[in-house]
């Protein structure tokens, strides 16, 4: 998988998640996607739909690191209460995405960029500087 293609798929995936567009998110995700975070990990579209409905999370990407099908995004996460959309938390986090066959096969959130880069096998030299 080419890095540029992986980056485009991850950007589209994050946009779909931020828009709460479950159908688009599912289309961009492998049927057996692994979803991981502080509470552990699980697999599949049903878990992904549940996560999207429950998390109330929007992500703004600050920095990106990539090599082949692996992408790490340092992001500003904002959590909203599902019933009111009030902001209930904000934190800088990092997400690891693994793309294969034009779909995200793994998404995992980490509390620090260092932890995400280590888990992904990437480092500072893999930073992708985006224009603009």
């Amino acid at each position: 998988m080419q890095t540029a293609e992986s980056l485009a798929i991850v950007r589209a995936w994050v946009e779909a998640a931020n828009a709460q567009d479950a159908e688009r998110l599912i289309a961009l995700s492998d049927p057996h996607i692994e979803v991981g975070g502080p509470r552990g990990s699980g697999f599949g579209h049903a878990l992904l739909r549940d996560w999207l409905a429950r998390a109330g999370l929007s992500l703004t990407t600050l920095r990106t690191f990539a090599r082949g099908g692996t992408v790490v995004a340092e992001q500003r996460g904002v959590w909203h209460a599902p019933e009111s959309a009030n902001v209930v938390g904000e934190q800088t986090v990092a997400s690891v995405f693994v793309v294969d066959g034009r779909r995200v096969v793994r998404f995992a959130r980490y509390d620090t960029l260092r932890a995400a880069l280590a888990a992904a096998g990437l480092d500072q030299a893999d930073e992708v500087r985006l224009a603009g």
Side-chain angles (χ1 to χ4, degrees), residues 1-2 8 39 58 66-67 69 78 82 87 94 98 100 102 117 130:
M1 165 102 358
Q2 296 293 321
R39 296 180 180 162
S58 63
R67 187 182 326 131
V78 178
V87 173
V98 178
D100 186 28
R102 300 193 47 81
L117 289 172
L130 303 175

Side-chain angles (χ1 to χ4, degrees), residues 59-121:
L59 297 165
T60 301
T61 300
L62 307 171
R63 296 170 68 193
T64 306
F65 303 79
R67 187 182 326 131
T70 302
V71 177
V72 172
E74 182 178 40
Q75 299 164 309
R76 186 70 185 156
V78 178
W79 287 263
H80 303 273
E83 64 282 349
S84 67
N86 290 337
V87 173
V88 294
E90 294 184 54
Q91 180 181 344
T92 299
V93 298
S95 301
V96 175
F97 298 87
V98 178
V99 178
D100 186 28
R102 300 193 47 81
R103 289 187 176 170
V104 175
V105 298
R106 180 173 189 262
F107 163 70
R109 187 176 64 77
Y110 293 83
D111 288 335
T112 67
L113 176 60
R114 178 182 296 211
L117 289 172

Side-chain angles (χ1 to χ4, degrees), residues 8-26:
I9 291 166
V10 167
R11 274 191 221 105
W13 196 97
V14 170
E15 288 171 5
N18 285 347
Q20 295 286 300
D21 185 345
E23 296 312 311
R24 178 79 175 130
L25 193 65
I26 294 301

Side-chain angles (χ1 to χ4, degrees), residues 13-14 16-17 20-36 41-56 97 103-108:
W13 196 97
V14 170
Q20 295 286 300
D21 185 345
E23 296 312 311
R24 178 79 175 130
L25 193 65
I26 294 301
L28 291 164
S29 301
D30 185 83
H32 305 289
I33 185 172
E34 179 182 1
V35 179
S41 63
F43 299 88
H45 282 170
L47 176 68
L48 185 60
R49 282 182 191 277
D50 179 60
W51 170 81
L52 184 65
R54 177 182 36 80
F97 298 87
R103 289 187 176 170
V104 175
V105 298
R106 180 173 189 262
F107 163 70

